[in-house]
Amino acid sequence: MEFVKDLKFDEKGLIPAVAQDAVSGEILMLAYMNEESIKQTIETGHAVYFSRSRQELWEKGATSGNIQNVVDMYVDCDRDAIVLKVNQTGNACHTNNHSCFFRKVENGKLIEIPTGLAARPGILYDVYNVIVDRVKNPKEGSYTNYLFEKGIDKMLKKVGEEAAEVIIASKNYVKSEVQYETADLLYHLSVVLVEQGLTWDDIFIELQKRYK
């Protein structure tokens, strides 16, 4: 990890690190890192920071479960700041907002705009991970386990049915139904992706190739 030697840490051996949602681009939080936390982040793939108040390393989500899987790490032009592109499990902020930056300056005043867990693209990762967990740890009465027991034909039938429901809702111009049926469709597509050994990242990469 020779690049660490080129970073410009402050007098306390720290460097600011911004965590950004790898899917939506949303800024999640600001924390600090030192050489050891950077090393552990790279080795584990999970964001590890340095707590200035406790004067110790802390892995994001080690207690809450809201871990950050690091996709990429960037260093700015002056080498005195870091950006972590992460897949956030749960919420990043201790206030139970997805992002710590939920206060907006409007007309010289601070306006709070709470951010919900479900109101973000990253929810697809959460749904996907739950499906993977159901496959590894079957749960009695689980609809997901039922689909895997029935196999690919049942899964694809449900994808077709939900796609048809989206079409019907859209033709009727009922927004709430379009919203509901689209969510159903995305869930069943997630089931198929898990069954096929694909992830949402694979789909996003394919989309990125087409729209560069």
Side-chain angles (χ1 to χ4, degrees), residues 74-133:
Y74 293 85
V75 176
D76 83 328
C77 57
D78 292 323
R79 299 183 183 182
D80 59 2
I82 289 173
V83 171
L84 299 178
K85 299 272 191 176
V86 304
N87 290 327
Q88 175 72 52
T89 298
N91 293 320
C93 186
H94 71 282
T95 63
N96 207 32
N97 284 284
H98 182 55
S99 168
C100 292
F101 295 91
F102 57 88
R103 294 186 177 95
K104 179 182 179 182
V105 178
E106 205 168 90
N107 297 322
K109 298 180 180 180
L110 282 179
I111 308 296
E112 290 198 5
I113 308 175
T115 55
L117 172 62
R120 60 185 180 90
I123 191 65
L124 286 173
Y125 285 98
D126 295 331
V127 171
Y128 184 95
N129 290 335
V130 168
I131 295 169
V132 171
D133 183 67

Side-chain angles (χ1 to χ4, degrees), residues 18-182:
V18 174
Q20 181 181 30
D21 193 300
V23 179
S24 67
E26 181 181 14
I27 301 299
L28 300 176
M29 57 179 280
L30 169 68
Y32 290 83
M33 305 179 81
N34 61 9
E35 287 191 30
E36 182 59 27
S37 67
I38 292 173
K39 177 182 178 182
Q40 289 191 23
T41 295
I42 293 174
E43 289 178 346
T44 66
H46 295 163
V48 178
Y49 301 105
F50 183 83
S51 171
R52 294 178 298 169
S53 60
R54 300 192 303 273
Q55 288 294 298
E56 63 182 14
L57 297 178
W58 61 284
E59 179 183 338
K60 176 64 178 174
T63 301
S64 66
N66 297 334
I67 63 173
Q68 293 176 344
N69 291 311
V70 179
V71 177
D72 285 307
M73 179 183 291
Y74 293 85
V75 176
D76 83 328
C77 57
D78 292 323
R79 299 183 183 182
D80 59 2
I82 289 173
V83 171
L84 299 178
K85 299 272 191 176
V86 304
N87 290 327
Q88 175 72 52
T89 298
N91 293 320
C93 186
H94 71 282
T95 63
N96 207 32
N97 284 284
H98 182 55
S99 168
C100 292
F101 295 91
F102 57 88
R103 294 186 177 95
K104 179 182 179 182
V105 178
E106 205 168 90
N107 297 322
K109 298 180 180 180
L110 282 179
I111 308 296
E112 290 198 5
I113 308 175
T115 55
L117 172 62
R120 60 185 180 90
I123 191 65
L124 286 173
Y125 285 98
D126 295 331
V127 171
Y128 184 95
N129 290 335
V130 168
I131 295 169
V132 171
D133 183 67
R134 288 289 184 271
V135 174
K136 294 180 179 178
N137 306 291
K139 186 176 180 180
E140 185 176 353
S142 166
Y143 175 65
T144 298
N145 288 138
Y146 164 76
L147 289 175
F148 276 90
E149 288 169 5
K150 292 298 182 181
I152 188 64
D153 287 346
K154 181 64 175 180
M155 295 175 187
L156 297 179
K157 181 181 178 182
K158 290 301 298 182
V159 168
E161 290 175 358
E162 299 304 338
E165 293 292 343
V166 171
I167 293 171
I168 294 170
S170 300
K171 288 286 287 183
N172 291 333
Y173 288 93
V174 182
K175 288 185 178 180
S176 61
E177 290 185 11
V178 175
Q179 178 181 0
Y180 184 88
E181 300 301 344
T182 299

